[in-house]
Amino acid sequence: MQFSTLKTLDNSQLETFNTEYINDKRWEIIQENIDRDFSNGKFRFLDIGGGNGLFADKLLSNYPSSEGTVLDNSELLINKNKFNSKKALICDSVESLSLLKEKYDIIFFNWLLHHLVGSSYAESKSNILSALNSAIPLLSEHGRISIYENMYDGLILDGLPSALVYNLTSNSAIAGITKKMGANTAGVGVCFLSKNQWISTLNKTDLELIKYSDDDKWSIPVAWNVFLHIKSIRCGHFWLMKPI
Ligand SMILES: C[S@@+](CC[C@H](N)C(=O)[O-])C[C@H]1O[C@@H](n2cnc3c(N)ncnc32)[C@H](O)[C@@H]1O
């Protein structure tokens, strides 16, 4: 799978990801899907962009028969992982997925895909597709892919906020301003998509969508509606299966 050169965040930007985005409601969605499709609680997982490993730790403690691997290209975040004999750590980029020899029952992408930023908006969207296509061959026979992402839906032009946010955050000349406006990825970029854009990206793969779950809409400043053409932002969860 072809990736264009990925831009990377610096350690001060990565440090902000030393947290856990899976709250109780989001965890319930994950559990519901796992309990339906892996009812004996036995599965092997890969958490791509799994950072500090808190999500992997939660899976391992709730599903004692599971085992997992956290893959992340940030040494800073990988080093925050607590030891667990059932958790393997790989400090590498999603670009190296084809080197992995194991098969996995569940591959998680929790807020990783929007960070696969290349030197243009088109390249960033193509990197997202390459990451998904690189993961598919790693799935076991009944494998599932679980994706949490942010949905940036446009007011009239559905994909416009995604392109605007990418262009503003990736522009290093105005990084000082975008940082002050709260963009942690200022100077590097971020490629959030609308729900429809995420779905059309997934439709370009062989994956089959089993279930989509919506989170609550964020409350956002009116300026974001006006200047970024944003109708709504929320997290969404996609649970997908490998083609049979
Ligand atoms: C927004 S954080 C999400 C962390 C974690 N998945 C969670 O939900 O708490 C994005 C993560 O993706 C990782 N990441 C970014 N680019 C990556 C790449 N090319 N390969 C692997 N991991 C990457 C970052 O280091 C970071 O840990």
Side-chain angles (χ1 to χ4, degrees):
M1 253 48 75
Q2 279 299 106
F3 286 88
S4 68
T5 308
L6 296 180
K7 296 211 234 162
T8 48
L9 298 168
D10 66 31
N11 276 351
S12 70
Q13 293 169 309
L14 289 163
E15 183 70 54
T16 65
F17 302 143
N18 184 24
T19 178
E20 176 53 55
Y21 298 99
I22 300 288
N23 58 23
D24 289 350
K25 188 175 171 194
R26 293 170 188 165
W27 174 248
E28 265 177 39
I29 290 170
I30 297 269
Q31 268 191 314
E32 192 188 299
N33 285 299
I34 294 180
D35 293 348
R36 186 189 55 244
D37 291 353
F38 299 92
S39 52
N40 63 1
K42 196 168 158 54
F43 55 88
R44 173 187 288 228
F45 68 86
L46 174 65
D47 187 11
I48 303 178
N52 59 17
L54 287 179
F55 177 66
D57 295 341
K58 195 172 174 102
L59 285 166
L60 293 169
S61 70
N62 280 271
Y63 296 95
S65 303
S66 68
E67 55 184 284
T69 298
V70 173
L71 179 143
D72 200 290
N73 67 347
S74 161
E75 208 178 318
L76 176 104
L77 292 168
I78 280 285
N79 285 339
K80 306 269 185 201
N81 273 263
K82 282 199 207 119
F83 174 78
N84 186 321
S85 59
K86 292 197 294 166
K87 179 173 72 170
L89 304 176
I90 301 177
C91 190
D92 206 341
S93 171
V94 68
E95 297 149 280
S96 305
L97 284 185
S98 60
L99 302 177
L100 300 188
K101 300 280 176 262
E102 310 271 342
K103 295 279 182 195
Y104 301 94
D105 301 307
I106 314 178
I107 297 181
F108 293 95
F109 288 97
N110 290 344
W111 294 280
L112 171 275
L113 295 169
H114 62 255
H115 287 296
L116 303 182
V117 169
S119 50
S120 69
Y121 181 55
E123 273 188 14
S124 307
K125 289 203 291 182
S126 160
N127 286 335
I128 292 175
L129 190 55
S130 296
L132 293 166
N133 282 328
S134 310
I136 297 173
L138 300 178
L139 287 170
S140 64
E141 196 187 349
H142 300 289
R144 301 287 189 258
I145 287 191
S146 172
I147 302 172
Y148 259 117
E149 265 304 338
N150 294 344
M151 316 284 128
Y152 274 57
D153 290 355
L155 278 166
I156 298 166
L157 299 172
D158 183 57
L160 186 56
S162 162
L164 288 175
V165 171
Y166 169 81
N167 282 299
L168 288 169
T169 55
S170 62
N171 187 336
S172 51
I174 55 163
I177 301 169
T178 46
K179 195 171 183 172
K180 276 200 189 115
M181 287 167 70
N184 173 48
T185 53
V188 173
V190 69
C191 192
F192 295 121
L193 302 178
S194 70
K195 180 184 171 189
N196 287 337
Q197 286 178 306
W198 285 115
I199 289 175
S200 79
T201 305
L202 292 167
N203 284 341
K204 289 184 190 139
T205 71
D206 287 335
L207 292 165
E208 197 178 306
L209 180 62
I210 300 174
K211 189 159 188 205
Y212 173 78
S213 310
D214 246 344
D215 209 347
D216 300 327
K217 286 186 180 154
W218 302 3
S219 119
I220 54 171
V222 177
W224 291 18
N225 304 117
V226 177
F227 297 112
L228 296 174
H229 193 72
I230 294 175
K231 179 168 86 180
S232 66
I233 309 177
R234 67 201 181 285
C235 294
H237 179 258
F238 299 93
W239 182 256
L240 304 121
M241 65 186 268
K242 179 189 154 116
I244 301 173

